[in-house]
Amino acid sequence: MAQYTRVSGFVGLITLQNPPVNALSAPVRQGIVDTVQRALSDPEVKSVVICGQNGIFCGGADIKEFGTDMFGPPLIPMIHAIEAANKPVVAAIEGIALGGGLELALGCHYRIAHSKARLGLPEVTLGLLPAAGGSQRLPRLIGVPAALNLITTGRHVTAAEALQLGIVDQVTDHNTVDAAVKFALRVGGQSLDARRISTYPCPQQPDLDALFEDVMQKVRQSARGAIAPVACVQAVRAAATLPYTQGMEREKELMATLFTSGQARALQYCFFAQRAVGRWKMPNGARWDTSKPRPVHKAAVIGLGTMGRGITVALAQTGLSVIAVESQEKQLMEAKQAVSGMLERGAKRRGVAPVLDRISYSQDIQAVADVDLVIEAVFEDMALKTKVFRQLSAVCKPGTLLCTNTSALDVDQLASETPNPELVVGMHFFAPAHVMKLLEVVYGSRSSPEAVATAMQLGKKMGKASVAVGNCRGFVGNRMLKLYLEQASFLLEEGATPELVDGALEEFGFPMGVFRMSDLSGLDVGWRIRKGEGLVEPGMASGQSARIRQGRRYSPLGDLLYEQGRFGLKTSRGWYQYDKPGSRVARSDPWVHSFLEEYRARHGLVARNIDHQEVLERCLYAMINEGFHILEDGIAAGPEDIDVIYVFGFGWPRHRGGPMFYADMVGLAKVMEKLEHYHQAHPDVPYLQPSNLLRKLVASGSPPIHTWGEVIKKLHSQL
Ligand SMILES: CCCCCCCC(=O)CC(=O)SCCNC(=O)CCNC(=O)[C@H](O)C(C)(C)COP(=O)(O)OP(=O)(O)OC[C@H]1O[C@@H](n2cnc3c(N)ncnc32)[C@H](O)[C@@H]1OP(=O)(O)O
Ligand SMILES: NC(=O)C1=CN([C@@H]2O[C@H](COP(=O)(O)OP(=O)(O)OC[C@H]3O[C@@H](n4cnc5c(N)ncnc54)[C@H](O)[C@@H]3O)[C@@H](O)[C@H]2O)C=CC1
């Protein structure tokens, strides 16, 4: 809807009304068309101001309308009519002007923004381009390089930057609508010839071809197979080289391709999934809207190794006071330096002062007596963690939340060691903890809703996509990852190379294939985890039962590399070789190839040709199947939770939506059929057998992902 009022005698004020972000739904577009017409036909009205209610100009097209039969007046003619008006139209931008919202403002003759407003064309993040003239008007207004930057990244700019770029004409600290009305009164009656952006020539740019070639190359590299950034460059190129009307035609063509692409669907799914996981619920009925988080002002971190340091930084940057405890003096000194360095670099990047004084360091756990929440990040050892939790229970004030950053250990077992198990939850960060955007909040069987709500809220404050998950070995992310890693090793045994497997996964869109990732995180880390699971014993890797552990197929390849001292990047040898420890450039290693050949010969394995498709199916479908088990077990509340975990924590390409969305796109029947095929070929790998839930979904006609919940509910009620 849009409301129309006449203000100051001569100004028609149009207010967009569609909470919470005044998205341009059909009724809003109709409202704009009607009210603009009314203002233009009223002889008393000399100029027009467009604003949004509740201090928000407009969040763009209504994303919920995409993928439905869109009705109502289209955006493009609506914006053209505003630009063609013979009375000045001023956009009063408060809050946000994003996507179609900014395109609407670019159709106005003047733009006035509040100093706190943010503007941008984020369509690329939804798999689209600014197709309501944004790709054609913005370059004409601010030049090709700046427009390319904004449109291909989708980044938001502040009002100050928008003013500097020339996107807005004025910035105010005061009431924006009042300022716009005053401005509109002043410019009423003035010529608008120089104010219609579509009539501007695109500013000249030397070496246009070289510029576009360079940008296209960079965009292709970073897009990892996403098509929208490429289309954005093509659209801006049209603005720079074609007359406006032809440019608009090109914008429309490119948009039509994107709009119907699976990538746009996947990215829009991600947008809503990211928001849906905030509305968490637990199997016992506790939920986000009925559980009250506790205030957390002061927190403690126990154990300042890789994870504890990052967690300390993340907490301090969120504004909390932090007590950082480390038992080893040398580690404590090193951690202090490392944490200060991370804070200083972060502050420099953001142009703010580092918050070093928010952290106090101690070797004594007694120092945490008055904190509201503790995050334990000591070694992955149940006995040690139990000891720490007992100490914390004795030291902390009543009601302090005790959180563990364990990667896979049993949160219930830890909780049972404390007098208040309801105060214990997992807060599983990902390395590096101050950078990675994912947090798994693990609730145990006795965690209180209040404890979960507090951890979820803290995660949100830290800027993490926080997902509440149940307690099981590896929770959601690592539980699925295990099978992905295992399939990759089996493929090596059967004839693949690390390069082939990584190539297929990187082509799919992962920033790094599985073997490059193992080298980066360290082969010693995986070895220690397998040892903890009782899978590794000295001498086992080459003995009789080398390829069978705990009654099923096992690949000792990673253990054999570990035994050679090949820990990956840190030793400059792993699945690849590196020029020096820590170097990021992975080079093929002939040693690994002959090692694999010898290994196969020793075990009587005959190498066969393995193609990219098999790599993807084996690695990804095994993981997806585990995702269905996780849903069946109620460990994740819905497919969105799993997908958000994979997109934010494991580099799953966002334009493919996440593993469960991908399964839906591929077709559940196909995934099931392939799993059956691979299970038949590898009967010693039980997890390749399609899960109950997958079978049920296929039997129910493969319903769309947003309705899986009903099938899951039915399955649970039958148990
Ligand atoms: C051939 C067809 C031709 C079509 C031509 C179309 C050309 C176009 O130009 C296409 C477009 O405009 S695409 C849309 C561009 N706009 C955006 O990407 C902004 C998306 N929203 C945001 O970034 C944040 O919500 C924002 C920064 C706005 C606010 O963040 P907050 O953290 O304050 O709040 P959220 O929790 O994110 O959002 C609050 C609720 O609002 C919903 N929402 C946000 N933006 C929306 C939008 N644009 N459309 C529909 N719903 C939207 C959001 O989902 C959330 O609701 P719940 O999910 O129910 O919680
Ligand atoms: N490294 C990773 O990528 C991830 C690790 N995790 C989990 O985080 C936890 C910590 O892992 P990392 O940081 O990698 O370990 P780390 O080995 O780098 O650091 C552990 C630190 O805890 C200290 N420590 C041991 N006992 C202590 C005690 N009683 N009081 C105070 N400090 C003590 C050690 O001296 C060491 O500095 C583990 O549970 C691990 O599974 C979780 C996510 C990712």
Side-chain angles (χ1 to χ4, degrees), residues 13 126 168 176 202 237 299 346 374 419 456 482 569 641 648 693:
L13 178 66
L126 298 169
V168 298
T176 315
C202 206
R237 189 180 183 112
V374 183
M456 288 293 284
K482 187 172 180 229
L569 231 71
D641 300 74
F648 285 90
L693 175 58

Side-chain angles (χ1 to χ4, degrees), residues 301-309 311 325-329 331-332 335 362-363 365 376-381 384-385 387-388 391 404-409 427-433 478 521 525 528-529:
V301 179
I302 315 290
L304 300 181
T306 312
M307 294 307 290
R309 295 173 191 191
I311 297 170
V325 179
E326 163 61 52
S327 55
Q328 302 300 313
E329 193 180 346
Q331 278 284 79
L332 183 66
S362 177
Q363 251 183 290
I365 204 161
E376 164 278 311
V378 301
F379 303 126
E380 186 77 342
D381 173 341
L384 173 63
K385 286 190 193 279
K387 189 178 128 208
V388 170
Q391 285 176 322
T404 174
N405 183 46
T406 177
S407 312
L409 296 178
M427 281 185 85
H428 182 212
F429 291 81
F430 290 74
N478 287 339
S521 52
V525 175
R528 248 181 239 117
I529 293 171

Side-chain angles (χ1 to χ4, degrees), residues 375-432:
I375 301 175
E376 164 278 311
V378 301
F379 303 126
E380 186 77 342
D381 173 341
M382 187 48 111
L384 173 63
K385 286 190 193 279
T386 303
K387 189 178 128 208
V388 170
F389 266 64
R390 283 197 192 129
Q391 285 176 322
L392 289 170
S393 303
V395 168
C396 293
K397 67 180 182 191
T400 299
L401 232 67
L402 303 184
C403 311
T404 174
N405 183 46
T406 177
S407 312
L409 296 178
D410 185 353
V411 173
D412 279 332
Q413 193 183 334
L414 262 181
S416 69
E417 301 293 340
T418 73
N420 299 99
E422 73 281 4
L423 295 175
V424 175
V425 289
M427 281 185 85
H428 182 212
F429 291 81
F430 290 74

Side-chain angles (χ1 to χ4, degrees), residues 71-86:
F71 62 99
L75 266 181
I76 295 174
M78 180 189 96
I79 294 173
H80 274 148
I82 291 171
E83 192 185 56
N86 53 7

